[in-house]
Amino acid sequence: MPRPDVDIAILGGGCAGLSVAVRLAAAGRSLRVIEPRETYCEDRTWSFWRTARDPFEDCVRTSWTTWDVTGPTGTVRRASRDLRYQTVGAGAFYDRAQALIDDTHGAELCSGTAAHDVHETPHGWRIDTDAGQLSAGHVIDTRPPRRVPGYGQFFLGREIRTERPVFDPGVVQLMQFRPARSAGVDFVYILPYARDLALVEVTSFAPRSPGRNVFEAWLQEEIDLLETGRHEVLREEHGALPMQVGFHDPSPDGCIRMGLGGGAARPSTGYAFTRIQRQADLVARALDQGHDVPAALDGPFSRFMDRVFLQVIQTVPDRGPALFESLFRNTASDRLERFLSGSIHPADRLSVMTSLPVLPFLRAALVPA
């Protein structure tokens, strides 16, 4: 029987592809990551509440113990003695992943190469790439989704250095809700790295993006309101994350789908980094032990809760700011943050459920859209 070129071919070298690659490389599996980008840059940040260890803890840029949400009735400030809200810069993440792959025999990152057709053969898989054909025992497809979700998180952000010290570096402003500029729920998000340095981002939870022109004008207005004096734009990031229960890109039977196209973004929030790390753990463990890869990150009850919450904010988006404020105001300390990070503990779920008004969620639960 012909021996494949590698045990595992990983299509896409973004967050999901590199996360699973470093775990499989550490387990001694031969692999190749096929990535169309020739070089990496500081193109985004990933933020999350730290609830578990991962190989990229050295890449954390900043941690916070306090965060705010500002809704219709005022600002809710939450703090934690145990949890840290952390941000990982893409540049440090990419450098760390490439170093771990380069230091492992049998693991290779092929940048500047795109994967095209994928075919199952009697002896594994054949992948057509810009550099020729590659054979592998397993294929993990982490490329961006090819289909458009019915609802998503859309954002534009700029990291700025300001003339005046206008930021509080001890408090993340998670959500400052604004009058809607999209067909959904709109807010401003600020990650303060120092008194004169922050990522300022405008975000829409909506069925479609309001468009680049709307985002640029809105973001500039928000920066002007900060009264920064002169400011320097250090970098920009933008993106779209699926917020849809059960969102998966179609893939051939037996091909493992990971990342945003494999349901890694939390349907009700768009949080993805922690879920990608969990997904990478599950996939690497299953391949190492010869088990089937779990089909989904979430169980039925988690999917039900996400579906109900999304249905309410899609049906009555003008109530979205009040609902998010209620979540952060009424849920017990740490329980909401653990739930948003993937906790399925009954006490965390119950605390979240009882923090919200009953009627709209009961209606959504009984009458799915």
Side-chain angles (χ1 to χ4, degrees), residues 139-151:
V139 171
I140 303 173
D141 189 351
T142 73
R143 291 174 294 180
R146 292 179 291 276
R147 70 186 184 93
V148 178
Y151 197 80

Side-chain angles (χ1 to χ4, degrees), residues 301 304-305 327 331 348-358:
F301 194 72
F304 168 77
M305 291 185 70
L327 271 175
T331 309
D348 294 336
R349 284 174 165 172
L350 181 62
S351 185
V352 167
M353 293 169 67
T354 56
S355 71
L356 293 164
V358 173

Side-chain angles (χ1 to χ4, degrees), residues 103-259:
D103 289 345
T104 306
H105 177 72
E108 182 181 2
L109 171 61
C110 298
S111 56
T113 304
H116 302 294
D117 293 335
V118 179
H119 307 278
E120 190 170 17
T121 74
H123 311 296
W125 294 85
R126 186 183 79 245
I127 303 99
D128 297 327
T129 80
D130 291 345
Q133 290 187 344
L134 172 71
S135 60
H138 303 275
V139 171
I140 303 173
D141 189 351
T142 73
R143 291 174 294 180
R146 292 179 291 276
R147 70 186 184 93
V148 178
Y151 197 80
Q153 178 187 152
F154 307 94
F155 60 89
L156 172 67
R158 290 180 183 143
E159 185 174 331
I160 60 173
R161 186 174 297 281
T162 63
E163 180 183 23
R164 297 174 182 157
V166 297
F167 303 110
D168 180 352
V171 183
V172 175
Q173 296 180 14
L174 282 179
M175 291 174 152
Q176 297 182 64
F177 290 99
R178 296 293 189 255
R181 299 172 185 245
S182 72
V185 180
D186 293 351
F187 60 91
V188 182
Y189 171 65
I190 299 179
L191 284 180
Y193 302 119
R195 292 188 63 79
D196 62 348
L197 180 66
L199 173 67
V200 182
E201 195 165 277
V202 290
T203 303
S204 294
F205 289 172
R208 58 194 173 277
S209 171
R212 175 82 187 196
N213 289 341
V214 171
F215 271 145
E216 285 190 341
W218 178 17
L219 179 57
Q220 189 57 56
E221 285 180 24
E222 295 295 341
I223 293 173
D224 290 344
L225 286 172
L226 293 169
E227 298 182 345
T228 63
R230 291 189 300 272
H231 71 271
E232 177 186 5
V233 178
L234 304 179
R235 64 177 192 87
E236 181 177 290
E237 62 180 60
H238 58 90
L241 301 172
M243 294 175 65
Q244 184 174 322
V245 178
F247 181 82
H248 277 76
D249 245 4
S251 58
D253 289 343
C255 177
I256 301 165
R257 196 69 171 99
M258 275 189 64

